Amino acid sequence: MERTLILIKPDGVQRRLVGTIIQRFEQKGLRLAGLKMVQADRDLAARHYAVHQGKPFYESLLKFLESGPTVAMVWEGREAVAVARNLMGGTDGAKAPPGTIRGDFGLSVQNNLVHGSDSRENAEQEIALWFHENELVAYESSDNAWIG
Ligand code: DAT
Ligand code: MG
């Protein structure tokens, strides 16, 4: 079973899209294993986006992630990392196809509503950054045999 970290970033919270975005992951068949609201500080923002350090948009990106509360979630299921990335659409909302979260609700590159881990390894690292292990819940979904 694969897990991925999904963030509804501050623009998604401010724009009252939390329920709508969660619904996309839920309806697809992924299983919610953890969920909380976090006000990221500079340290958390910098660690989360460490890979982008030195890029021209880095400082602005950290300010954005610090600018308000984020909803942090762990979703699990078959191919969860790739499935979640497909549900999100590409980075630039203007180019992301309709039907995806960014394609349906975003026009910006930076303010693109969601974060999703881009590999299984990064997912495990990011989950550890945002969650304590005891905040994640393991359980059987009763519809598992139907969803796979
Ligand atoms: P993604 O979030 O699709 O994985 P990424 O990891 O390349 O994209 O970049 C992380 C975030 O940084 C992205 O969600 C929005 C922002 N970003 C990326 N490229 C950018 C750019 N050229 N200008 C401004 N912000 C950018
Ligand atoms: Mg990324």
Side-chain angles (χ1 to χ4, degrees), residues 49 51-52 85 91 102 115-118 126:
Y49 279 132
V51 67
H52 296 296
R85 298 277 293 185
T91 308
R102 288 163 168 174
H115 167 84
S117 309
D118 62 8
E126 291 174 1

Side-chain angles (χ1 to χ4, degrees), residues 18-84:
V18 170
T20 302
I21 291 171
I22 287 177
Q23 190 173 39
R24 299 287 176 104
F25 296 98
E26 204 174 30
Q27 287 184 327
K28 178 66 179 168
L30 294 174
R31 187 171 58 179
L32 187 59
L35 177 145
K36 65 179 176 181
M37 218 165 173
V38 180
Q39 173 58 60
D41 60 13
R42 167 82 18 164
D43 181 60
L44 178 57
R47 283 166 182 240
H48 179 75
Y49 279 132
V51 67
H52 296 296
Q53 198 172 356
K55 293 185 184 163
F57 57 84
Y58 177 69
E59 180 59 30
S60 169
L61 186 59
L62 296 198
K63 280 210 176 84
F64 167 57
L65 194 57
E66 288 178 286
S67 67
T70 287
V71 173
M73 302 178 283
V74 175
W75 288 91
E76 58 187 23
R78 187 170 161 255
E79 306 266 358
V81 168
V83 165

